[in-house]
């Protein structure tokens, strides 16, 4: 489901982000022009400090660029208020974080329901969709567990379920496999590839794991805040 | 708002995350609330003991006098039909008992010493009901119900009437002489001794002494000063309402101790009829003292009595109007407690704010996640405020229970004041044992205020939480 055929899911132009550290100015992003079509499955690759997290933050409306524009499904983030940005994040974007970032006081099922509840989906519908999503990431048996009672791989799958249960346009993931062993990483990737196909959501995630990069259909390489290559695998 | 149940669930469960911290902050609130309730209880108890101590001895909750009497008592400021008026006052709804009194001054002399006394004439039954004076008798007994028989005033014989006229003429001449002497500087001759004795004889005929010495109660300090024990006689000298000197011997029937030093050192109490007779007041009296079923109704009952035709021309006052000094003392007592309570509250509120702020800083990443997935800042404020309110409410109710328990215990057993015990401030005695009084306001105010403070104290951490950067969720920093 995307907002019409005309607008790409994500578009950026001349995106620049600088950070001040004392008197030194760090240019984390230095002019990013990028377009992601609906349903694409893309990896951001690049060495540490190349700007992957920063780019995901700007695309996910978690921070504002120093200059340049970001458009999500044709909407220019620069023209939106903080409340409108919050609404956009809530309704359009699913996030998967490197550190999982589940709420420790909520069960797996409640974490998966979290964003749906914030969207105002009815209780019964919340439950139904969250349960279905947890089953599809292979956690059908673990609804009632708290994050502290789950392995890293299981926690990250709950996070994926949370992101995908509520997202309508885009799923952003920052190094989702960085804290996982290779077996867990593989199976999480399987799940994501599967969900991408099933739900026609646009996926963008960062990684420097070559096995992850190998699974992507499009790989964008960043270095020092610039795109140095943008390659598509043949379908 | 969407997700309110979720906000509540997160807030509630967050309290369980750091149990020790929650318990310590909760304990601060609970101790604060229970101390406040206990302070209010002791303060209320002390105030009501003070008020009781002044209203249960002589002062009524409501008093009726002739105009001017309460500020400057004088024998001539009396009212008539005293017994009827007392009966009307006693029949008023809400009035428990009414005492009817005559008040005057006299010089009391025993075989050993003499002292100025305040002579109070009371209806023994009414006084016992109103001020329980009968229970304060420490030796001897209380006044009997019936007054002492006094012989009727005798008609003057023709010779005596002639003598009276002669003495009057003499007195007039003496007065004229005196005025002349003032002008000329000459010394005026004293009236002859003879005429003084004769005057006394005539007066005795007009107002004869009672058949037997009427009974009188003395305050214990006064009795000691006079060296008079029960059954001793005391001679009271004074002027009657006509200004004539009178001199009557009373017999001490009992000694009373009220605990009020001023009263115990100056009071002599006798039967109303005897004192009315002594002062030549007929059926007149000076004071109606009303004891009410509920002291807090003093104002309404005073107002309704003042409107009664039976009390037209008289002044009806409440104890608050008669003793503004005690009212001021009770007020300053309350103000002192309020300041203490405010300090306790501010300290507890700072403790709560600090605890929640620490929790907010610890959970910054989590809050960032909630912001990132689109939770509204207002919902985050609500979440933090709910967490604080739950902590405050839970702890306040524990504090309420403990505070009420302390009040009930202190109400029952009291705090002995030891060396300070039983002193008097302006006639209001601080009791030897402090008792707490539990009132609904005294218990519920601290709880309500503490909840309000807790919520106010949560606003600062909540504002910090609501401003958390959503970008904190990304990366692994
Ligand atoms: N909040 C910040 N304040 C200051 N500098 C920052 C901040 N965030 C990022 N930077 C800097 O911006 C640059 C890009 O950082 P970013 O986190 O986007 O890199 P990355 O590609 O995600 O690296 P990694 O692979 O280590 O996660 C780095 O030089 C980093 O030090
Ligand atoms: Mg990064």
């Amino acid at each position: 489901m995307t907002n019409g055929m005309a607008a790409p899911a994500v578009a950026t132009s001349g995106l620049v982000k600088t950070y001040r550290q004392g008197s030194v100015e760090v240019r984390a992003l230095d002019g990013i022009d990028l377009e992601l079509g609906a349903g694409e499955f893309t990896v951001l690759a690049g060495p540490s400090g190349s700007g992957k997290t920063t780019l995901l933050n700007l695309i996910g409306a978690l921070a504002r660029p120093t200059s340049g524009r970001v458009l999500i499904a044709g909407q220019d983030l620069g023209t939106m208020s903080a409340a409108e940005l919050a609404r956009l994040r809530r309704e359009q974007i699913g996030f998967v974080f490197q550190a999982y970032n589940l709420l420790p006081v909520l069960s797996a099922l409640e974490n998966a329901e979290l964003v749906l509840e914030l969207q105002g989906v009815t209780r019964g519908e919340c439950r139904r969709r969250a349960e279905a999503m947890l089953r599809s990431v292979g956690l059908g048996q673990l609804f009632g567990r708290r994050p502290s009672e789950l392995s890293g791989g299981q926690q990250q799958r709950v996070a994926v379920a949370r992101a995908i249960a509520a997202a309508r346009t885009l799923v952003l993931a920052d190094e989702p496999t960085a804290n996982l062993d290779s077996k867990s990483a593989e199976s999480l990737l399987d799940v994501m590839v599967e969900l991408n196909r099933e739900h026609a959501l646009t996926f963008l995630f960062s990684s420097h794991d070559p096995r992850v990069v190998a699974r992507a259909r499009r790989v964008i390489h960043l270095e020092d805040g610039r795109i140095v290559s943008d390659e598509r695998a043949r379908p | 708002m969407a997700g309110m149940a979720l906000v509540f669930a997160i807030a509630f469960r967050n309290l369980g995350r750091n149990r020790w911290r929650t318990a310590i902050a909760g304990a601060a609130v609970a101790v604060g609330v229970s101390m406040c309730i206990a302070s209010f209880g002791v303060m209320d108890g002390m105030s009501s003991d003070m008020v009781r101590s002044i209203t249960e001895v002589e002062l009524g909750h409501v008093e009726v006098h002739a105009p001017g009497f309460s500020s400057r008592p004088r024998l001539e400021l009396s009212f008539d039909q005293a017994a009827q008026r007392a009966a009307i006052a006693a029949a008023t709804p809400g009035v428990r008992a009414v005492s009817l009194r005559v008040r005057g001054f006299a010089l009391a002399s025993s075989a050993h010493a003499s002292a100025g006394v305040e002579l109070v004439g009371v209806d023994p039954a009414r006084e016992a009901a109103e001020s329980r004076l009968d229970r304060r008798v420490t030796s001897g007994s209380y006044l009997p119900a019936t007054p002492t028989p006094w012989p009727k005033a005798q008609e003057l014989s023709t010779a005596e009437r002639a003598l009276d006229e002669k003495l009057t003429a003499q007195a007039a001449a003496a007065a004229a002489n005196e005025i002349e002497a003032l002008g000329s500087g000459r010394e005026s001759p004293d009236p002859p001794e003879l005429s003084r004795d004769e005057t006394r004889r005539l007066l005795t005929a007009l107002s004869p002494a009672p058949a037997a010495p009427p009974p009188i109660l003395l305050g214990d300090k006064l009795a000691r000063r006079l060296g008079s024990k029960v059954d001793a006689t005391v001679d009271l000298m004074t002027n009657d309402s006509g200004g004539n000197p009178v001199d009557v011997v009373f017999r001490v029937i009992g000694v009373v101790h009220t605990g009020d030093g001023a009263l115990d050192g100056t009071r002599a109490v006798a039967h109303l009829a005897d004192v009315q007779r002594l002062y030549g007041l007929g059926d007149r009296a000076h004071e109606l003292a009303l004891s009410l079923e509920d002291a807090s109704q003093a104002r309404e009952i005073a107002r309704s009595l003042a409107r009664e035709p039976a009390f037209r021309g008289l002044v009806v006052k409440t104890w608050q109007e008669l003793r503004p000094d005690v009212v001021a003392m009770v007020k300053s007592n309350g103000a002192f407690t309020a300041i203490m309570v405010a300090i306790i509250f501010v300290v507890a509120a700072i403790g709560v704010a600090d605890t929640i702020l620490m929790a907010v800083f610890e959970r910054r990443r989590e809050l960032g996640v909630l912001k990132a997935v689109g939770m509204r800042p207002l919902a985050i404020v609500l979440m933090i405020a709910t967490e604080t309110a739950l902590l405050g409410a839970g702890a306040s109710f524990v504090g309420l229970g403990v505070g009420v328990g302390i009040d009930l215990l202190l109400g029952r057993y009291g705090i002995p004041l030891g060396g300070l015990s039983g002193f008097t401030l302006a006639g209001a005695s601080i009791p030897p044992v402090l008792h707490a009084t539990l009132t609904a306001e005294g218990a519920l105010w601290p709880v309500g205020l503490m909840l309000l403070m807790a919520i106010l104290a949560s606003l600062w951490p909540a504002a910090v939480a609501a401003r958390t950067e959503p970008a904190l969720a990304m990366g692994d920093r």
Side-chain angles (χ1 to χ4, degrees):
Chain A
M1 273 215 298
T2 57
N3 285 8
M5 298 308 290
V10 177
T12 73
S13 61
L15 208 52
V16 173
K17 179 73 176 176
T18 57
Y19 292 108
R20 276 213 158 275
Q21 280 195 320
S23 56
V24 189
E25 197 171 81
V26 181
R27 219 168 168 79
L29 291 181
D30 191 10
I32 302 286
D33 299 304
L34 178 68
E35 224 172 78
L36 301 180
E40 272 196 296
F41 192 92
T42 308
V43 168
L44 278 175
S48 184
S50 57
K52 304 183 292 292
T53 298
T54 304
L55 182 56
L56 289 171
N57 272 334
L58 297 188
I59 292 174
L62 299 178
R64 291 197 187 259
T66 309
S67 65
R69 296 203 303 165
V70 177
L71 287 89
I72 302 295
Q75 291 172 275
D76 188 344
L77 304 191
T79 64
M80 294 163 76
S81 69
E84 286 168 332
L85 290 179
R87 184 189 168 87
L88 175 96
R89 292 196 298 267
R90 189 165 65 234
E91 314 249 292
Q92 305 295 333
I93 306 174
F95 292 94
V96 180
F97 305 105
Q98 179 177 347
Y100 321 143
N101 288 348
L102 300 177
L103 284 217
V105 295
L106 301 183
S107 68
L109 184 61
E110 288 167 333
N111 266 291
E113 289 174 339
L114 175 69
V115 187
L116 290 169
E117 282 213 41
L118 292 178
Q119 286 178 349
V121 175
T122 59
R123 289 281 324 130
E125 178 70 2
C126 265
R127 181 116 310 178
R128 200 185 58 71
R129 277 163 68 181
E131 282 178 358
M133 199 50 68
L134 279 181
R135 275 196 207 97
S136 74
V137 299
L139 295 176
Q141 312 300 311
L142 306 174
F143 290 169
R145 295 255 186 111
R146 292 279 177 98
S148 59
E149 299 159 345
L150 295 171
S151 74
Q154 289 167 335
Q155 286 185 58
Q156 198 59 307
R157 286 191 212 190
V158 175
V160 169
R162 174 176 74 187
I164 291 165
R168 297 202 187 132
T169 304
L170 179 66
V171 174
L172 299 174
D174 191 18
E175 313 216 21
T177 62
N179 294 330
L180 302 181
D181 61 76
S182 56
K183 206 170 138 262
S184 304
E186 276 305 324
S187 73
L188 186 81
L189 275 168
D190 291 341
V191 165
M192 297 226 278
V193 169
E194 177 67 27
L195 289 169
N196 171 247
R197 203 174 296 140
E198 234 174 76
H199 297 265
L201 290 167
T202 306
F203 273 65
L204 175 64
F205 58 92
S206 68
S207 182
H208 28 222
D209 182 345
R211 284 167 307 177
V212 175
V213 174
R215 300 289 296 266
R217 273 177 281 143
R218 180 179 174 189
V219 180
I220 297 170
H221 271 272
L222 289 185
E223 241 167 74
D224 293 332
R226 288 201 194 94
I227 296 178
V228 292
S229 74
D230 183 350
E231 297 157 8
R232 282 169 210 263
R234 262 173 291 138
Chain B
M1 193 195 276
M4 274 317 296
L6 181 82
V7 163
F8 188 85
I10 296 175
F12 182 73
R13 293 184 200 171
N14 273 341
L15 281 173
R17 285 171 76 173
N18 195 329
R19 299 235 161 95
W20 266 111
R21 195 165 60 196
T22 303
I24 289 170
V29 169
V31 168
V33 167
S34 61
M35 289 323 291
C36 289
I37 292 175
S39 309
F40 275 130
V42 169
M43 186 272 291
D44 281 347
M46 193 159 123
S47 296
S48 66
D49 276 349
M50 250 158 57
V51 170
R52 194 174 331 114
S53 82
I54 61 155
T55 54
E56 80 180 353
V57 181
E58 229 180 59
L59 187 68
H61 294 124
V62 173
E63 294 201 340
V64 181
H65 300 111
F69 185 88
S70 67
S71 52
R72 206 158 153 257
R74 291 208 311 268
L75 200 58
E76 63 269 29
L77 297 178
S78 59
F79 51 84
D80 60 1
Q81 296 187 302
Q84 293 93 309
R85 287 174 152 151
I88 291 169
T92 306
V95 175
R96 191 181 58 76
V98 175
S99 177
L100 172 59
R101 299 180 186 134
V102 167
R103 289 175 172 279
F105 293 95
L107 180 69
S109 309
S110 68
H112 319 277
S114 48
V117 301
E118 199 181 333
L119 177 60
V120 182
V122 303
D123 175 324
R126 286 199 180 283
E127 188 65 37
E130 201 275 328
S131 70
R132 314 219 184 279
L133 186 65
D134 53 335
R135 299 197 199 163
R136 299 177 203 281
V137 175
T138 53
S139 64
S141 54
Y142 185 60
L143 297 171
T146 47
T148 313
W150 292 52
K152 269 222 173 83
Q154 291 158 5
E155 281 290 305
L156 295 184
S157 65
T158 329
E160 282 169 330
R161 213 170 303 136
L163 180 61
D164 185 25
E165 272 158 27
K166 194 185 103 195
L167 286 172
T168 310
Q170 258 179 25
N177 273 342
E178 211 161 311
I179 291 163
E180 246 174 64
L182 279 177
S184 65
R186 268 188 303 124
E187 220 167 88
S188 64
D190 279 335
E193 255 324 288
L194 179 74
S195 74
R196 224 177 256 170
D197 289 345
E198 282 174 332
T199 303
R200 176 153 302 177
R201 199 158 54 76
L202 281 177
L203 274 174
T204 314
L206 281 167
S207 60
I216 194 165
L217 292 167
L218 298 181
D220 57 355
K221 276 194 202 159
L222 174 64
R224 230 171 295 135
R225 197 131 49 92
L226 291 172
S228 306
K229 296 223 162 63
V230 174
D231 262 359
T233 55
V234 188
D235 185 27
L236 292 191
M237 283 193 335
T238 185
N239 291 313
D240 69 12
S241 54
N244 302 307
V246 285
D247 182 347
V248 174
V249 174
F250 285 76
R251 183 174 301 282
V252 179
I253 189 168
V255 171
V256 293
H257 175 79
T258 63
D260 178 336
L263 287 185
D264 292 337
T266 61
R267 276 307 177 280
V269 183
H271 198 291
L272 177 73
D274 292 338
V275 181
Q276 278 174 333
R277 190 67 193 252
L278 172 76
Y279 286 119
L281 284 169
D283 71 344
R284 304 179 78 85
H286 296 114
E287 180 170 287
L288 291 178
L290 281 63
S291 169
L292 306 183
E293 264 140 28
D294 176 2
S296 66
Q297 283 198 297
R299 211 149 288 161
E300 291 91 88
I301 289 181
R303 209 170 298 145
S304 82
L305 275 186
R307 278 197 298 265
E308 289 255 355
F311 298 99
R312 188 159 301 142
L314 299 185
V315 180
V316 183
K317 284 189 171 172
T318 61
W319 69 265
Q320 288 99 329
E321 292 165 313
L322 292 163
R323 293 300 300 270
D325 54 334
V326 173
V327 173
M329 215 148 57
V330 166
K331 273 206 186 115
S332 73
N333 204 346
F336 175 75
T337 312
I339 289 169
M340 235 173 64
V341 161
I343 292 171
I344 294 176
F345 273 42
V346 168
V347 169
I350 290 173
V352 169
D354 187 57
T355 303
I356 301 290
L357 194 64
M358 247 156 63
V360 163
F361 277 122
E362 258 179 34
R363 298 183 207 141
R364 284 178 71 202
R365 175 179 279 263
E366 232 171 281
L367 292 164
V369 171
L370 289 172
K371 284 282 284 274
V373 300
M375 189 182 261
R376 291 181 181 86
L378 186 65
I380 290 179
V381 166
L382 236 112
M383 188 174 79
I384 303 295
T386 303
E387 182 176 345
T388 320
L390 283 172
L391 172 63
S396 293
F397 284 110
V398 171
L400 176 68
V402 173
V404 167
I406 292 176
D407 269 4
L408 292 179
L409 275 178
L410 288 185
R412 186 129 184 217
Y413 301 108
I415 313 171
L417 286 180
L420 284 171
S421 85
F423 64 92
T424 330
L425 277 176
S429 53
I430 306 291
V433 176
L434 275 188
H435 286 287
T437 307
L438 182 63
T439 61
E441 299 107 86
L444 294 180
W445 261 105
V447 173
L449 265 181
M450 187 56 90
L451 277 180
L452 188 71
M453 289 289 253
I455 291 170
L456 285 180
S458 77
L459 293 182
W460 168 35
V464 172
R467 277 203 306 269
T468 307
E469 278 293 321
L472 274 174
M474 281 282 190
D476 57 354
R477 264 178 279 267

